[in-house]
Amino acid sequence: MKLSGWGRYPKVECQPQFPQTGTDVVQLLERGPEGTFIARGLGRSYGDSALAEATLHSAYLDYFRSFDAESGMLRCASGVSLATILEVVVPKGWFLPVTPGTKFVTLGGAVASDVHGKNHHIDGCFSEFVESISVATCRGVVECSRSENTELFRATCGGMGLTGVILEVELRLKRISSSYIESTTIKTQNLSDTVAVLDEYRSATYSVAWIDCLSTGNALGRSLVMLGEHSEEGELHLGSGARLFVPCDMPGILLNGMTMQAFNSIYYHRVTRDHTHSLVHYEPYFYPLDGVRNWNRLYGSAGFLQYQFVIPRDAGMAGMTEILNRLAKSKQGSFLAVLKLFGKENRNHLSFPLGGYTLALDLKYSPEVLALLDELDRIVLDAGGRIYLAKDARMSKMVFQAGYPRWEAFSRLRHEWGAHRVFNSAQSQRLGL
Amino acid sequence: MKSILVIGVTSAIAKEVARNYARQGDSLYVLARAKDRLEQIVEDLRVRGAGAVSSGLLDVCDFDSHIATLDKAFAAMGHIDTVIVAHGTLPDQAACEASAEVALKEIQINATSTVSLLTHLANKLESQGGGTLAVITSVAGDRGRKSNYVYGSAKAMVSVFLEGLRHRLYRKGVNVLDIRPGFVDTPMTKNFAKGLLWAQPETVAAGIVSAVERRKNVVYLPFFWAWIMRAVRNLPDFLFLRTGL
Ligand SMILES: Cc1cc2nc3c(=O)[nH]c(=O)nc-3n(C[C@H](O)[C@H](O)[C@H](O)COP(=O)(O)OP(=O)(O)OC[C@H]3O[C@@H](n4cnc5c(N)ncnc54)[C@H](O)[C@@H]3O)c2cc1C
Ligand SMILES: NC(=O)c1ccc[n+]([C@@H]2O[C@H](COP(=O)([O-])OP(=O)(O)OC[C@H]3O[C@@H](n4cnc5c(N)ncnc54)[C@H](OP(=O)(O)O)[C@@H]3O)[C@@H](O)[C@H]2O)c1
């Protein structure tokens, strides 16, 4: 069947497999799958990282193994989604230590992309809270952590499924006493203002800036900076489920330059004061888009691309200005543009974050957009940055290798474990891994 | 807090039903034939909030083991509020056409094993003086179709058997629920291309829990299958025989 990532570009013919236990996975590997083969979670990566001739779906590897409500240590099979984890742990006063912008990702996907959240500048990536993982490699099931099989651990966290199939994950949760977030929104006038506010509030637990990508000139980079702290007040309860869904492909024409500009403008002007405080449930705070199922269909059947890059702190302002200018000029628009301050880089081979600024843009697919992104790649590389693999569907091998200098060590480790013969995605082939 | 017995708990649908009850803090006794997956489910249900969870191995084709296995479950639980029967296989229709042996084996798994289990269970609930017997059959039992009439006839047998049991137990406080799902995305149907009519096991499981709660007799899940099957049942033969259904 034809599968794709969340961006619905590209679409690839895949033969799905649905193992029900770790033993099933091991047997599959022993039989030696033919052609390219890669693990797949909920398909929330945007591009081609979970696509191959054969895809191993973790849908039925969805078991909780253990949970200690005293210490907050949780062990689950890799197909359990973050949404399900929240359902079980929030009422007991625990929360995810790091969460991406959707809860519909699997634990395996979160580890394989070493995802980051709005607290990266303080807490780092998802793997920071992973005590241990078990991985089905070509040489059997291996338990690895910071003290045991360290290299495999560092390669698998952020390794995009290219070292093996993650079977189980042991995660250290975060204590909360309420499911509410005290949120503060600050309106900024331009890019340097935005960056200054992000820096000024770097002790805030959560921070992110929503950029109005289409404003130019003096207003270039004007944003809403959103800060958040876990509240002490309020109950421990779950949010409501999805309320809306997009039943079919919308004509792509609905999202054009004009509507984008209007949307960005309305969003920005919605906030009328410079500082706004509110108490919001974690659901709308962390997962604003989860309320609309299949919102990816809004971009039409040709799909869309998400472009997320990071550039180091020193190069930050200049590089970011250049990219925003280039983007505004292209009139390609972006429904969502999110700017974040990252904390320090970790030691994993392919984890994305490095100390600096990251920007994520959604762009409707078109050949012109591909050309635009090639241009942006050059600016990112010149600034010493890199592109996020979990979002990527098109970067070149050269751009990858320049952005991820540890790719060679990663590639060597793949050979040591025999992974290069088995685990290959459409993305890894494109990137020459 | 209720006591729930689940037969064939490794089924994707039954597993979600069990998780629903676990979330409510109910106690469960779960039976299945695959030991490793059964153990995984027991731990999983505990983490998800179940009261007590016990388990036992059961191959439904091993008829001789039925009574002892059920005795053990009832002894362990004392009183059982709801029994969910979920095991089944989707036969290879072509293989059934080619071999009576294969066809009979499928009838055994999908019909006679259930008849045996239900005979014991009905007596137990009757003497207990209450409870719900909820059995997953299928929309396929509503009309024999060339694409899967072996499976369909097995499910139809169970449906009629349940209808009779319901009649018999009506005055005994025992509710008998016939659950007829349409297309559900589970390991049983992993090789099918999925379209608009397909439901997730979570959705069907929620429907089952609610039908048990409301003491329904027959339920189609999701609900729109009641309309589809009414149309299929009412299609005159001269038209029906020409379809590719
Ligand atoms: C709306 C939205 C918001 C997002 N926000 C953020 C964000 O804020 N921060 C962020 O970091 N990311 C974000 N993401 C990206 C998302 O978190 C990652 O792409 C994540 O990996 C998706 O998980 P998945 O289960 O869907 O995995 P898939 O997309 O199915 O797979 C992603 C990768 O993980 C590998 N993988 C999956 N399961 C396993 C396994 N069991 N063993 C080994 N490898 C495996 C796959 O091979 C593939 O390389 C967002 C995505 C969306 C759609
Ligand atoms: N999926 C659908 O579209 C659909 C539609 C209508 C009705 N149904 C019915 O729904 C029920 C659940 O099916 P499902 O969709 O959840 O599929 P499933 O996940 O494949 O479950 C079927 C279960 O039956 C068990 N089983 C088969 N033979 C057995 C035996 N001899 N002894 C003990 N257990 C046995 C299987 O155990 P193993 O895993 O050990 O083999 C498995 O747990 C079935 O009765 C099915 O007929 C399904």
Side-chain angles (χ1 to χ4, degrees), chain A residues 20-21 60 62-65, chain B residues 19 37 40 43-44 186:
Chain A
Q20 299 204 44
T21 59
Y60 298 123
D62 65 341
Y63 299 95
F64 282 88
R65 305 294 296 178
Chain B
R19 286 173 172 176
R37 275 190 290 140
Q40 280 181 4
E43 285 174 45
D44 177 73
T186 71

Side-chain angles (χ1 to χ4, degrees), chain A residues 401-415:
Chain A
Q401 292 184 349
Y404 290 85
R406 280 172 287 181
W407 73 272
E408 270 176 299
F410 183 77
S411 198
R412 228 177 296 123
L413 181 131
R414 257 162 68 76
H415 279 78

